[in-house]
Amino acid sequence: TADICVCAFLPVACLAVERCMCTMQTGTQMTKLKGKKKGLVRFFYLDEHKSCIRWRPSRKHDKAKITIDSIHEVCEGKKSEIFQRYADSCFDPNCCFSIYHGDHVESLDLVSTNGDEARTWITGLKYLMAGISDEDSLAKRQRKRDQYPLLCHYGQTFSEADKNGDGNLSLGEVLQLLHKLNVNLPRQKVREMFKKADTDDNQGSLAFEEFCTFYKMMSTRRGLYLIMLSYSNNKEFMDLNDLVRFMENEQKMAGVTREYCLEIVSQFEPCSQNLQNMVLGIDGFTNYMRSPAGDIFKPDHHRVHQDMTQPLCNYFIASSHNTYLTGDQLLSESRVDMYAYVLQAGCRCVEVDCWDGPDGEPIVHHGYTLTSKILFKDVIETVNKYAFTKNQYPVILSIENHCTVPQQKKMAEYLLEVLQDKVDLSTVNMNEFRKLPSPELLKGKVLVKVKPYFFINVLWGVVSIIKQNHFGFTQQWHKIFQHGSHSISWLSVCLNLCVFWSAAYMTSWQVSSLNESIVNQIMALKPAQLVRLNQRQLLRVYPSNYRVDSSNFNPQPFWNAGCHMVALNYQTEGRMLELNRAKFSTNGNCGYLLKPRCMNKGFFNPTLEDPLPGQSKTQLVLKIISGQQLPKPKDSMLGDRGEIIDPFVEVEIIGLPIDCCKQQTRVVDDNGFNPMWEESLVFTLHMTQIALVRFQVWDHDPIGQNFIGQRTIAFVSMMPGYRHVYLEGMEEASIFVHVAVNDITGKVGLSTGLSFALPALLSLKTKAWIFLTAMKACLVFCHIACTPNCIKTSESAPTPAPSAAPVPTPGPAPS
């Protein structure tokens, strides 16, 4: 909405917007609210590059800033959680506004001295946000190479390199800039290129246009140049026929036409002479290969493309643990903003830990700790606001209920009053199918999963009532609510309002939620039976209570066993959350991912050396060619003054145990700008449908190695041919690779002695122990031993967006 409003406003008010920019750069004194303490008066201003908001004084010094591209939303008035703590204040709402920013959607809450100042900042920030959102990181790569000097690492533009401000760069200034750019070219080579680019009357220095020429000399990609020569018969350009052959032979695209290649030349070729002749030179070819068309990620996977009409138990579901926390589980802050963050990040199952609060208001926090408390009502209102802003697939509320009956009744009231039709499933007809509904069937719905702690017989109490009285949802709710029954929890009534709508399916709507330790024991003893269980009921796995630092377990083993909701701490960045992002990115990041067919039907044991007997294996050949603009480690002690990095690339396969492995390239000394490896790494995979491919770049050091960056991609989302792998969170840093996939015929043979009758999963002794440690596990073991139905929850999904004009499609890519 910010984009639309600002763009419509620009034609009639450009001068007004410029005045906003000028005022913001001049600076404004405002009050910054922080917790329950008295507000802090600070001087806020927009930096000269219009890239971030800064303030002073501050103990953070240079870190006291918010970048414009990290801002999610600017809200007028006193709407944030912080403002609510100042409810008794006399702040004029016209002077108040909040800036939501960062990975965890924190709020900067400001009060200006008058309404005009607040309006100026709100308008200016929305204008800047609109400008940035119209040009995302992928689109930026399409800029002509003549503009590359303006995109160098750490914001080192031409003007910043010009130390004396004379509009020219001396040889010394160029050398200093190259060092900061991680380039370690021989000094004599730099002199030669400098002299060749220095063509005006002012000898001994480079003006901006001359520096662009110098930069292009330095950055011409040898690997791309050789590819161009090989397909153009050693010409300095590729004609349309050359392009067609390149697309079909290397990029594995089918149906490439001359018209399609004409569009490529028109869009990416910067040279007017080449445009006139309709050919693609090295600059145009570089532009094209660095555009989204040359990215390793399959473009169709940026949107929902899978079948979303299968039962819920056939999908993986992106899930969060302790969603409300911003840090550890002992002292950190609880924030409703975290629900907005994870929901917009694609998470579809959020956790709500509910406890009795003062004044009859249920609260959410981590029990028996010093974490701060937030209102349950605020959580539900936030879920209602953000649940479906990015997609319409259903959201599951995993409620951990510690409340007494009166406050459970309050919780049920809020769920119904705030969510309204989002929890009404009366229109869903399940009489035709004796299975869970599909994501497509449950679009826009919020589903409630409850863990009753005080009422162990709550579930079966509700079941028996509904069985005796074949009333509809709304009728049954009013009947129970009006009678004020105390034999069941009010919240569980609301749960059943959302889930148990037909007595015929009572036993098939149960969700089990188990600790990681318990599931690990199950997988060690009976992995195939766990997979079989997950074919019939939903299972949620959550982190151990010993993870007080909110660390995350490795989710891959649980995905291998078909566990649906593998809950991670979204507030804790790192390897495990990166794997989670990569997995769910492969279906438009909608939070639902179709499991491989072998996990949804029949026998499958993920721990076997040959888990899919009789099926061919897959060979992945990755040629790691080169790197581009690799930065120095983030935590480098010497910063820009540090040594040039010595990079190497490590590629890791993460999937079934038999497929997990890693390989790495050699180390390239003193080159982070354009290191060349030209090495091939070969991997054999038994099951590509569940595998992730992780690219990591490291800086080799005599005393160890420093992490530079990574990109993790689902195997099924990888494109074949020459591709760029852009490091996550880094605008220009990439590695250039060639991807080839081959089938390897495996031993063909029929497995024998497979029993599809499910035996008891564990011994009685083990069951008894698990029951004492976690009563939740009993349901799982009982279901496996007795072979009943089991599941509970629902979900829904949007129809894939219509594709744009037809373009050539890739041929047989990784599958």
Side-chain angles (χ1 to χ4, degrees):
T1 56
D3 296 2
I4 296 173
C5 295
V6 174
C7 290
F9 179 68
L10 284 177
V12 295
C14 278
L15 292 177
V17 171
E18 287 304 316
R19 283 195 290 270
C20 287
M21 297 295 110
C22 184
T23 300
M24 292 165 68
Q25 288 187 314
T26 301
T28 307
Q29 187 167 286
M30 292 185 281
T31 301
K32 173 186 175 185
L33 302 186
K34 187 175 182 181
K36 296 182 180 179
K37 299 178 182 179
K38 185 178 179 181
L40 306 174
V41 178
R42 296 290 183 263
F43 184 76
F44 292 83
Y45 63 97
L46 181 67
D47 75 335
E48 60 177 329
H49 303 294
K50 300 179 183 177
S51 62
C52 62
I53 304 167
R54 295 181 177 272
W55 61 90
R56 61 175 188 263
S58 173
R59 294 179 180 177
K60 296 181 181 178
H61 304 294
D62 292 340
K63 294 184 179 180
K65 65 180 181 180
I66 295 174
T67 59
I68 299 300
D69 57 5
S70 72
I71 298 177
H72 300 278
E73 186 179 4
V74 180
C75 292
E76 305 176 45
K78 304 192 295 184
K79 299 178 182 178
S80 75
E81 178 189 354
I82 298 295
F83 272 116
Q84 299 306 315
R85 300 181 189 179
Y86 289 81
D88 298 332
S89 67
C90 55
F91 295 139
D92 181 354
N94 294 322
C95 299
C96 302
F97 64 100
S98 300
I99 302 171
Y100 291 91
H101 65 95
D103 291 340
H104 295 162
V105 198
E106 301 175 51
S107 65
L108 173 63
D109 305 282
L110 302 174
V111 181
S112 62
T113 55
N114 59 70
D116 289 340
E117 288 181 349
R119 188 74 251 161
T120 294
W121 277 85
I122 293 169
T123 301
L125 288 173
K126 287 186 176 181
Y127 166 76
L128 291 170
M129 290 167 64
I132 288 174
S133 64
D134 286 342
E135 187 176 37
D136 60 20
S137 60
L138 287 179
K140 286 179 182 178
R141 298 180 191 129
Q142 297 185 45
R143 293 181 176 181
K144 295 178 181 178
R145 291 174 73 242
D146 289 349
Q147 294 177 301
Y148 280 6
L150 302 177
L151 299 175
C152 298
H153 289 303
Y154 312 114
Q156 296 300 322
T157 62
F158 177 87
S159 59
E160 291 175 323
D162 181 14
K163 299 299 183 183
N164 58 11
D166 64 354
N168 296 279
L169 297 186
S170 65
L171 178 60
E173 289 172 329
V174 168
L175 288 169
Q176 289 180 21
L177 178 58
L178 293 183
H179 191 275
K180 290 183 178 180
L181 292 177
N182 240 337
V183 182
N184 190 25
L185 292 174
R187 194 179 186 93
Q188 183 58 35
K189 180 68 175 178
V190 176
R191 286 181 183 274
E192 292 174 4
M193 289 191 295
F194 186 96
K195 186 175 181 179
K196 190 174 181 179
D198 189 7
T199 57
D200 64 7
D201 296 334
N202 187 12
Q203 292 292 299
S205 63
L206 300 181
F208 180 73
E209 294 299 327
E210 293 175 314
F211 178 72
C212 289
T213 302
F214 170 86
Y215 188 92
K216 288 170 66 176
M217 291 180 198
M218 178 187 69
S219 60
T220 295
R221 303 261 302 273
R222 188 185 77 177
L224 289 175
Y225 186 67
L226 293 176
I227 294 171
M228 187 190 75
L229 291 180
S230 67
Y231 273 89
S232 66
N233 196 21
N234 289 323
K235 299 191 301 286
E236 290 292 322
F237 56 81
M238 298 173 75
D239 60 27
L240 299 183
N241 292 330
D242 298 333
L243 268 177
V244 170
R245 287 191 301 111
F246 171 74
M247 299 296 184
E248 292 180 342
N249 295 347
E250 296 294 349
Q251 307 303 79
K252 305 303 179 185
M253 298 177 70
V256 180
T257 62
R258 287 172 60 87
E259 289 71 25
Y260 177 71
C261 293
L262 277 172
E263 292 180 9
I264 292 176
V265 174
S266 300
Q267 184 176 358
F268 296 103
E269 178 55 53
C271 174
S272 57
Q273 184 64 41
N274 286 347
L275 279 172
Q276 190 174 7
N277 296 328
M278 275 300 152
V279 296
L280 198 67
I282 182 57
D283 289 340
F285 187 51
T286 301
N287 289 339
Y288 172 71
M289 292 302 293
R290 286 188 66 82
S291 76
D295 190 80
I296 194 171
F297 192 84
K298 191 175 292 185
D300 287 350
H301 289 192
H302 284 298
R303 61 178 181 271
V304 177
H305 64 93
Q306 295 183 339
D307 177 13
M308 305 305 289
T309 63
Q310 298 186 28
L312 284 179
C313 54
N314 286 8
Y315 297 86
F316 295 113
I317 304 172
S319 304
S320 166
H321 177 247
N322 287 344
T323 310
Y324 48 88
L325 289 182
T326 59
D328 65 66
Q329 300 181 40
L330 294 178
L331 302 171
S332 69
E333 187 177 4
S334 302
R335 296 176 63 96
V336 295
D337 298 340
M338 288 301 296
Y339 289 91
Y341 160 62
V342 302
L343 288 170
Q344 293 183 99
C347 180
R348 297 286 88 184
C349 177
V350 297
E351 185 177 29
V352 190
D353 288 354
C354 305
W355 300 79
D356 281 354
D359 303 321
E361 289 291 334
I363 57 175
V364 175
H365 77 118
H366 202 253
Y368 309 112
T369 68
L370 297 178
T371 58
S372 62
K373 303 171 178 63
I374 53 180
L375 293 176
F376 176 81
K377 182 181 180 182
D378 291 344
V379 170
I380 301 306
E381 288 178 343
T382 301
V383 169
N384 185 57
K385 180 178 179 181
Y386 291 99
F388 306 111
T389 56
K390 291 296 180 70
N391 70 75
Q392 288 296 305
Y393 291 82
V395 169
I396 300 170
L397 296 183
S398 180
I399 295 180
E400 190 168 304
N401 172 31
H402 299 271
C403 292
T404 54
V405 171
Q407 296 210 13
Q408 288 185 48
K409 179 177 179 180
K410 198 76 172 179
M411 291 164 62
E413 290 174 353
Y414 288 142
L415 287 168
L416 292 171
E417 292 172 3
V418 176
L419 298 176
Q420 298 183 12
D421 62 333
K422 292 183 179 68
V423 293
D424 180 13
L425 299 183
S426 60
T427 59
V428 178
N429 183 4
M430 286 297 297
N431 292 330
E432 299 179 17
F433 309 102
R434 301 185 66 85
K435 61 179 70 171
L436 284 171
S438 68
E440 183 69 22
L441 192 63
L442 293 166
K443 290 179 180 177
K445 297 299 181 181
V446 175
L447 309 165
V448 183
K449 181 179 82 67
V450 165
K451 301 178 182 179
Y453 283 85
F454 298 112
F455 301 90
I456 196 65
N457 64 336
V458 163
L459 190 59
W460 309 117
V462 174
V463 170
S464 62
I465 290 175
I466 296 179
K467 281 184 176 179
Q468 295 168 12
N469 305 277
H470 299 288
F471 293 152
F473 260 173
T474 306
Q475 292 173 308
Q476 186 61 44
W477 163 254
H478 284 302
K479 178 180 178 68
I480 298 172
F481 193 83
Q482 290 170 3
H483 282 74
S485 170
H486 292 286
S487 65
I488 58 175
S489 73
W490 294 102
L491 184 55
S492 291
V493 173
C494 186
L495 158 68
N496 289 279
L497 178 68
C498 302
V499 177
F500 296 98
W501 64 78
S502 172
Y505 306 105
M506 285 305 137
T507 58
S508 63
W509 279 80
Q510 179 63 44
V511 177
S512 298
S513 192
L514 301 178
N515 183 293
E516 63 172 292
S517 302
I518 296 175
V519 182
N520 276 326
Q521 293 176 32
I522 297 173
M523 289 194 299
L525 292 168
K526 297 289 182 180
Q529 281 77 3
L530 179 59
V531 172
R532 193 63 183 266
L533 169 69
N534 286 325
Q535 294 173 1
R536 301 190 315 274
Q537 83 155 80
L538 293 179
L539 175 63
R540 177 177 178 266
V541 184
Y542 62 91
S544 164
N545 294 333
Y546 293 109
R547 295 183 181 272
V548 294
D549 59 348
S550 289
S551 61
N552 282 314
F553 52 66
N554 180 7
Q556 189 64 47
F558 303 110
W559 289 330
N560 291 345
C563 299
H564 311 83
M565 294 176 282
V566 181
L568 298 179
N569 290 294
Y570 271 59
Q571 71 271 29
T572 306
E573 274 295 336
R575 173 188 170 91
M576 305 315 173
L577 211 56
E578 290 162 358
L579 300 185
N580 193 69
R581 277 198 295 269
K583 185 172 187 67
F584 287 99
S585 292
T586 197
N587 193 30
N589 196 35
C590 70
Y592 289 89
L593 185 64
L594 192 61
K595 295 196 292 184
R597 185 176 180 181
C598 63
M599 287 187 176
N600 290 330
K601 188 176 182 180
F603 178 91
F604 176 72
N605 186 340
T607 64
L608 296 179
E609 290 191 6
D610 192 5
L612 298 172
Q615 294 193 21
S616 62
K617 301 175 182 61
T618 300
Q619 183 187 67
L620 171 65
V621 182
L622 284 173
K623 185 176 183 180
I624 311 299
I625 302 171
S626 62
Q628 295 76 44
Q629 303 185 42
L630 303 177
K632 296 175 184 177
K634 289 183 178 179
D635 301 325
S636 176
M637 294 180 62
L638 300 178
D640 288 343
R641 296 179 291 106
E643 293 297 320
I644 306 299
I645 66 171
D646 306 319
F648 68 93
V649 177
E650 180 182 79
V651 179
E652 180 180 6
I653 304 297
I654 303 160
L656 295 183
I658 191 65
D659 290 339
C660 290
C661 63
K662 63 176 68 173
Q663 298 181 42
Q664 67 184 48
T665 67
R666 62 185 173 84
V667 174
V668 173
D669 294 329
D670 292 336
N671 194 341
F673 187 75
N674 55 0
M676 296 289 295
W677 290 286
E678 294 281 357
E679 290 187 44
S680 292
L681 309 178
V682 182
F683 303 90
T684 299
L685 290 84
H686 292 71
M687 187 174 176
T688 60
Q689 302 98 314
I690 203 169
L692 302 175
V693 183
R694 183 172 173 87
F695 298 85
Q696 295 186 96
V697 181
W698 298 86
D699 173 25
H700 178 75
D701 189 273
I703 59 173
Q705 55 191 36
N706 298 310
F707 179 71
I708 301 295
Q710 68 83 35
R711 174 85 178 275
T712 307
I713 308 161
F715 184 94
V716 295
S717 294
M718 288 174 56
M719 292 286 283
Y722 288 101
R723 303 290 169 183
H724 282 93
V725 181
Y726 290 94
L727 302 186
E728 187 174 315
M730 300 180 189
E731 194 170 284
E732 296 297 324
S734 65
I735 52 179
F736 187 48
V737 303
H738 183 271
V739 180
V741 177
N742 307 303
D743 284 339
I744 304 175
T745 303
K747 294 181 180 179
V748 179
L750 297 177
S751 55
T752 58
L754 298 182
S755 174
F756 290 94
L758 297 179
L761 184 58
L762 296 172
S763 66
L764 292 176
K765 181 178 180 181
T766 305
K767 285 183 181 179
W769 179 84
I770 293 178
F771 181 82
L772 293 174
T773 59
M775 288 190 296
K776 302 183 293 295
C778 288
L779 185 60
V780 176
F781 306 133
C782 181
H783 279 314
I784 288 182
C786 302
T787 322
N789 303 339
C790 31
I791 298 188
K792 151 220 145 172
T793 314
S794 327
E795 112 184 23
S796 123
T799 304
S803 58
V807 297
T809 56
S815 61

